[in-house]
Amino acid sequence: MSNERHILLLTGSLRAGSSNETVLRTAAALAAGAAGLRATYYEGLAALPHFNPDHDTDPLPEAVAALRAAIEAADALLICTPEYAGTLPGSFKNLLDWTVGGVEISDKPAAWINCAAPGRGEGAVATLRTVLGYTGAAVVDEACVRIPLDRGAVGADGLVADPLVRERIAEVLARLAAARPAA
């Protein structure tokens, strides 16, 4: 049996190169260099159909089945999402809506990084905490952090270059990897 921990990285942004994507792609790179840790960046946000309870039955839409399989295969979830109009972006709320009817997130350790500028992003975080509660996720509070990302901290490779920011992201990964599902 492997001791490797697999973290699924979920961004709430559809914008290529967003700060949220940058944080999670950096987390994936950091995980690749850490023993016993693997991170997978979920790429299917834009492909998800609009949530419709009538379609939340077997067989699930292909993109939804793939999402739920990715969540099921992970040991934990790390989320980084922007805030739009004081809450989660509609596309990311749609992703979460598709998880409510399944059991894949239930008791699964979950955390987030809020990379918004100080004073921003709290509406998204509050909504995220509420929705994760409905899904039964085990929110790992010590891994839920604010790490504001200044675009000047991003290297030419599109990853966070600032060593202090990278260290904080690595700490989040370590805390989340150490969390175990609720018994």
Side-chain angles (χ1 to χ4, degrees):
M1 182 168 137
S2 171
N3 288 331
E4 179 180 73
R5 300 288 290 166
H6 176 213
I7 299 175
L8 182 64
L9 307 171
L10 299 168
T11 183
S13 179
L14 289 171
R15 188 170 58 87
S18 73
S19 296
N20 301 279
E21 178 183 342
T22 298
V23 165
L24 292 179
R25 296 243 186 238
T26 301
L30 292 168
L37 188 58
R38 179 170 59 98
T40 303
Y41 185 87
Y42 175 73
E43 302 269 2
L45 180 62
L48 292 170
H50 294 292
F51 177 71
N52 180 338
D54 291 338
H55 299 148
D56 194 6
T57 60
D58 288 326
L60 289 168
E62 186 176 324
V64 175
L67 166 67
R68 288 188 178 174
I71 292 169
E72 180 67 30
D75 295 305
L77 308 174
L78 179 59
I79 300 164
C80 194
T81 182
E83 176 179 276
Y84 290 140
T87 192
L88 293 171
S91 57
F92 193 66
K93 176 64 169 64
N94 183 60
L95 177 150
L96 293 172
D97 286 346
W98 278 112
T99 69
V100 172
V103 297
E104 298 81 13
I105 290 184
S106 184
D107 298 324
K108 192 165 300 260
W112 55 80
I113 296 174
N114 176 350
C115 70
R120 307 227 16 194
E122 294 307 317
V125 166
T127 304
L128 182 58
R129 182 177 291 280
T130 298
V131 176
L132 288 176
Y134 279 100
T135 67
V139 174
V140 181
D141 286 319
E142 61 273 11
C144 298
V145 300
R146 172 184 287 280
I147 306 174
L149 182 63
D150 180 271
R151 294 308 293 178
V154 179
D157 61 357
L159 300 178
V160 175
D162 183 298
L164 295 176
V165 175
R166 290 176 68 89
E167 182 179 320
R168 292 201 56 213
I169 295 170
E171 288 170 2
V172 168
L173 288 170
R175 289 176 185 154
L176 191 52
R180 297 294 186 246

